[in-house]
Amino acid sequence: MGQIVSLASLTSAKSTEDMRKALEGGGCASSSCGSSDGPSDMAPEIWDKIKDHPCYSEEAHHYFARMHVAVAPACNIQCNYCNRKYDCANESRPGVVSEKLTPEDAARKVITVANEVPQLSVLGIAGPGDACYDWKKTKATFYSIAKEIPDIKLCLSTNGLALPDHVDEIADMNIDHVTITINMVDPQVGVGIYPWIFYQHKRWTGLDASKILHERQMLGLEMLTSRGILTKINSVMIPGVNDHHLPEVNKVVKAKGAFLHNIMPLISDPAHGTHYGLTGQRGPTAAELKTLQDQLSDGTKLMRHCRQCRADAVGLLGEDRGQEFNMVHVPETVTYDPSKREAYREIVAKERGEHVASKEAAKAELRTMSADAKVLVAVATKGGGRINQHFGHAKEFQVYEVGAFGITFVGHRKVESQYCEGGWGEDAALDGVISTLEGIDVVLCSKIGDCPKDQLTAAGIVATDDYAHEWIEAGLTAWFAAAHGDVALRA
Ligand code: CLF
Ligand code: SF4
């Protein structure tokens, strides 16, 4: 068994050997949901495009990082979940304001991050307005960074209205990943989401606005997929507005060739000052989101590992290193040094092989179990695919459904305040963690004290550190076999 992986130790690793040591005992979480498909599930050229993209491959998100640069402030529509004071809520958490950058600043920042963060594989532009409407800045930024760091993947996110005007340039610039936020395919539904759009020098409202937006989104999607550009659809799930309509959206975007569908829960905190926030529109519960996702399992593959990240996010999904790379920390002149990224990639390539073998073994073992049992397991992990985090330090838990059918990655549960902050346990925080874990049967972590364990037991949740530092799949399977061994089918 390897040592505990610390992704922080990877990013601060000074040498290839340090990185290798940090990764041993590390790895990644897996699942059998759509976006976790591996090389055997798709054409090699598609796998090649997604294998290092943390949003397009669930497996990759444990190894590779993205960063966003906020170069595109202008927007051409109004969404009811957006307050223009903040960044584009289509691709980032509302209520977060990023530092606006010029394309030149952005280039310096990306090179600085690439020199420091070996996991960096993707540069995304997701606003803070609309990347296609503010196209000149988006284009200038991608152009200069692609020249400096040719192997970085370029990714953009858009509301779709201006998209058809730029698809040819997107293809020419090798932007292989585009996200369109599509919340409806019936303009009548859109009336409740979009108060206005600005199109062809004119402001449109009501059904007219929705119709135009819908037509442009569909056209943009078709144009992208016909050029082989991988297109992800983001949909914001808004209870009572479009939740019942999203299966239809899923069906339509699948028919038009979308690669992935990411259903994001509406965040409508009144403090963010959005229309929905101020009018009391609620977001969906975790259970409602899961029910909808389960309903869609036959449609376009689902992304379930989205973290609704900050608009100036830097790092692995779920990790927030944006503040470390504010412009005050970025040198005036900086030269790209590929050595850290190259060394990291070599190590990850090896590590992934071992992890895939472990997942296959886990799958085979589970197939020998009774088909009846099915449990929801929350795993505390710092990344690297291992059960390697103390219960009290977890800022989020990765949730898996486990049964004879295999292991399905369900999503993550964010912890508002960690149980053990500052070295001792806080009872009030534990209550919060327990309510975060509602519906979970089992918690696997690398360490847990008797007190929180007892309180979890009282809440009907089994917690154990027996599988500390195991690959996640191996630990899940071992726990499942121990708990359901009496009904195992094998001789
Ligand atoms: Fe950024 Fe979006 Fe590209 Fe990823 S994010 S532009 S596809 S590189 Fe990813 Fe963040 Fe979710 Fe977006 S976790 S909010 S899906
Ligand atoms: Fe806000 Fe983005 Fe919608 Fe524009 S597209 S209104 S920036 S959420």
Side-chain angles (χ1 to χ4, degrees):
M1 187 185 304
Q3 67 191 65
I4 305 174
V5 70
S6 153
L7 291 164
S9 65
L10 271 178
T11 51
S12 60
K14 296 278 181 282
S15 67
T16 306
E17 191 50 30
D18 288 346
M19 285 187 209
R20 189 185 312 280
K21 283 184 185 154
L23 257 176
E24 279 167 11
C28 136
S30 97
S31 81
S32 56
C33 78
S35 60
S36 70
D37 288 352
S40 54
D41 305 302
M42 63 191 76
E45 62 277 14
I46 305 284
W47 173 243
D48 207 47
K49 283 183 185 177
I50 70 160
K51 70 182 185 348
D52 300 342
H53 195 307
C55 302
Y56 280 68
S57 160
E58 191 272 327
E59 192 211 351
H61 99 275
H62 298 274
Y63 294 109
F64 290 104
R66 51 73 186 103
M67 72 176 289
H68 288 167
V69 286
V71 293
C75 188
N76 49 356
I77 70 172
Q78 178 64 57
C79 307
N80 276 336
Y81 44 76
C82 176
N83 174 354
R84 291 187 181 278
K85 226 167 73 188
Y86 301 121
D87 290 339
C88 176
N90 282 337
E91 191 67 25
S92 49
R93 210 162 55 222
V96 176
V97 188
S98 66
E99 190 179 37
K100 314 276 185 296
L101 303 178
T102 63
E104 295 72 31
D105 289 341
R108 275 196 292 136
K109 181 170 176 166
V110 176
I111 293 169
T112 304
V113 172
N115 289 349
E116 293 296 317
V117 180
Q119 299 100 327
L120 183 70
S121 62
V122 178
L123 168 66
I125 298 184
D130 187 75
C132 282
Y133 183 57
D134 221 342
W135 178 245
K136 273 193 187 151
K137 291 183 197 135
T138 298
K139 186 178 165 182
T141 305
F142 277 150
Y143 185 75
S144 66
I145 291 165
K147 228 169 42 181
E148 295 288 335
I149 312 176
D151 70 337
I152 201 161
K153 288 186 187 306
L154 306 178
C155 189
L156 72 79
S157 173
T158 174
N159 62 45
L161 184 59
L163 173 64
D165 302 335
H166 304 296
V167 170
D168 287 333
E169 285 172 288
I170 286 171
D172 288 347
M173 292 175 75
N174 286 327
I175 300 169
D176 265 345
H177 302 82
V178 174
T179 296
I180 316 173
T181 299
I182 298 180
N183 294 317
M184 53 84 193
V185 289
D186 172 358
Q188 200 61 56
V189 175
V191 172
I193 305 172
Y194 305 105
W196 57 261
I197 67 165
F198 189 75
Y199 179 62
Q200 291 185 338
H201 313 292
K202 195 177 149 189
R203 193 175 158 109
W204 305 75
T205 58
L207 196 56
D208 289 340
S210 262
K211 272 186 184 158
I212 295 168
L213 182 62
H214 167 61
E215 279 160 18
R216 299 284 290 173
Q217 288 177 337
M218 294 300 109
L219 176 62
L221 172 57
E222 283 162 10
M223 290 173 77
L224 289 170
T225 55
S226 69
R227 286 160 178 78
I229 295 167
L230 294 184
T231 308
K232 172 165 76 65
I233 306 304
N234 278 0
S235 297
V236 181
M237 180 181 178
I238 312 160
V241 177
N242 72 345
D243 51 344
H244 292 102
H245 178 60
L246 288 176
E248 182 61 18
V249 173
N250 185 265
K251 212 159 68 188
V252 170
V253 301
K254 182 183 185 184
K256 293 187 185 291
F259 181 73
L260 212 52
H261 192 185
N262 174 26
I263 298 183
M264 309 158 87
L266 171 73
I267 298 174
S268 58
D269 185 335
H272 300 156
T274 63
H275 173 79
Y276 284 149
L278 296 174
T279 54
Q281 171 64 54
R282 72 172 181 93
T285 62
E288 285 170 335
L289 180 64
K290 182 175 182 305
T291 303
L292 177 63
Q293 288 173 330
D294 289 349
Q295 220 183 311
L296 301 180
S297 51
D298 292 336
T300 303
K301 290 170 190 170
L302 295 181
M303 173 186 188
R304 295 186 191 232
H305 60 283
C306 175
R307 300 299 203 278
Q308 291 177 281
C309 43
R310 288 176 62 110
D312 56 358
V314 174
L316 298 163
L317 302 192
E319 184 187 54
D320 195 353
R321 300 189 61 189
Q323 300 306 313
E324 284 174 51
F325 296 100
N326 279 343
M327 285 314 283
V328 285
H329 304 302
V330 170
E332 280 301 319
T333 52
V334 56
T335 310
Y336 176 50
D337 170 8
S339 57
K340 265 194 181 180
R341 290 180 69 238
E342 284 171 359
Y344 178 78
R345 273 154 195 268
E346 272 179 37
I347 296 164
V348 166
K350 275 192 171 165
E351 190 69 14
R352 278 175 122 171
E354 192 192 314
H355 191 201
V356 166
S358 154
K359 280 196 267 189
E360 287 306 315
K363 225 197 277 177
E365 167 103 6
L366 283 168
R367 273 199 293 264
T368 68
M369 309 279 164
S370 158
D372 301 335
K374 191 159 91 171
V375 288
L376 268 189
V377 187
V379 175
T381 174
K382 290 192 261 193
R386 304 268 180 178
I387 302 162
N388 56 9
Q389 190 163 48
H390 287 212
F391 173 80
H393 297 166
K395 288 185 182 159
E396 67 171 35
F397 291 89
Q398 307 234 347
V399 179
Y400 297 83
E401 197 158 52
V402 186
F405 56 85
I407 297 171
T408 304
F409 178 78
V410 172
H412 68 284
R413 301 267 182 102
K414 240 185 184 23
V415 170
E416 284 303 323
S417 135
Q418 293 146 270
Y419 168 58
C420 188
E421 220 163 1
W424 58 85
E426 289 283 351
D427 281 348
L430 184 56
D431 290 344
V433 178
I434 290 175
S435 68
T436 298
L437 294 172
E438 198 191 335
I440 298 291
D441 301 297
V442 186
V443 171
L444 302 185
C445 55
S446 67
K447 192 86 194 146
I448 183 164
D450 289 340
C451 175
K453 198 174 185 172
D454 290 347
Q455 292 198 43
L456 283 164
T457 307
I461 303 169
V462 176
T464 175
D465 51 21
D466 287 354
Y467 307 98
H469 316 314
E470 294 276 11
W471 291 110
I472 291 173
E473 299 76 17
L476 292 170
T477 304
W479 181 85
F480 191 82
H484 298 276
D486 54 330
V487 289
L489 298 177
R490 75 198 121 137

